mmCIF file of all heavy atoms in Angstrom:
data_model
loop_
_atom_site.group_PDB
_atom_site.id
_atom_site.type_symbol
_atom_site.label_atom_id
_atom_site.label_comp_id
_atom_site.label_asym_id
_atom_site.label_seq_id
_atom_site.Cartn_x
_atom_site.Cartn_y
_atom_site.Cartn_z
ATOM 1 N N TRP G 136 -40.893 -59.174 21.744
ATOM 2 C CA TRP G 136 -41.778 -60.380 21.644
ATOM 3 C C TRP G 136 -42.285 -60.589 20.232
ATOM 4 O O TRP G 136 -42.758 -59.685 19.621
ATOM 5 C CB TRP G 136 -43.016 -60.199 22.550
ATOM 6 C CG TRP G 136 -42.799 -60.537 23.972
ATOM 7 C CD1 TRP G 136 -41.984 -59.901 24.847
ATOM 8 C CD2 TRP G 136 -43.461 -61.564 24.730
ATOM 9 N NE1 TRP G 136 -42.031 -60.469 26.113
ATOM 10 C CE2 TRP G 136 -42.991 -61.494 26.036
ATOM 11 C CE3 TRP G 136 -44.410 -62.514 24.409
ATOM 12 C CZ2 TRP G 136 -43.360 -62.393 27.043
ATOM 13 C CZ3 TRP G 136 -44.837 -63.365 25.374
ATOM 14 C CH2 TRP G 136 -44.342 -63.277 26.681
ATOM 15 N N SER G 385 -58.656 -28.323 36.461
ATOM 16 C CA SER G 385 -59.020 -28.279 37.890
ATOM 17 C C SER G 385 -57.659 -28.372 38.642
ATOM 18 O O SER G 385 -56.631 -28.701 38.113
ATOM 19 C CB SER G 385 -59.844 -29.479 38.217
ATOM 20 O OG SER G 385 -59.177 -30.686 37.892
ATOM 21 N N GLY G 540 -45.831 -44.332 -1.198
ATOM 22 C CA GLY G 540 -45.992 -42.896 -1.120
ATOM 23 C C GLY G 540 -47.411 -42.538 -0.650
ATOM 24 O O GLY G 540 -47.589 -41.601 0.129
#
Side-chain angles (χ1 to χ4, degrees):
W136 276 65
S385 60

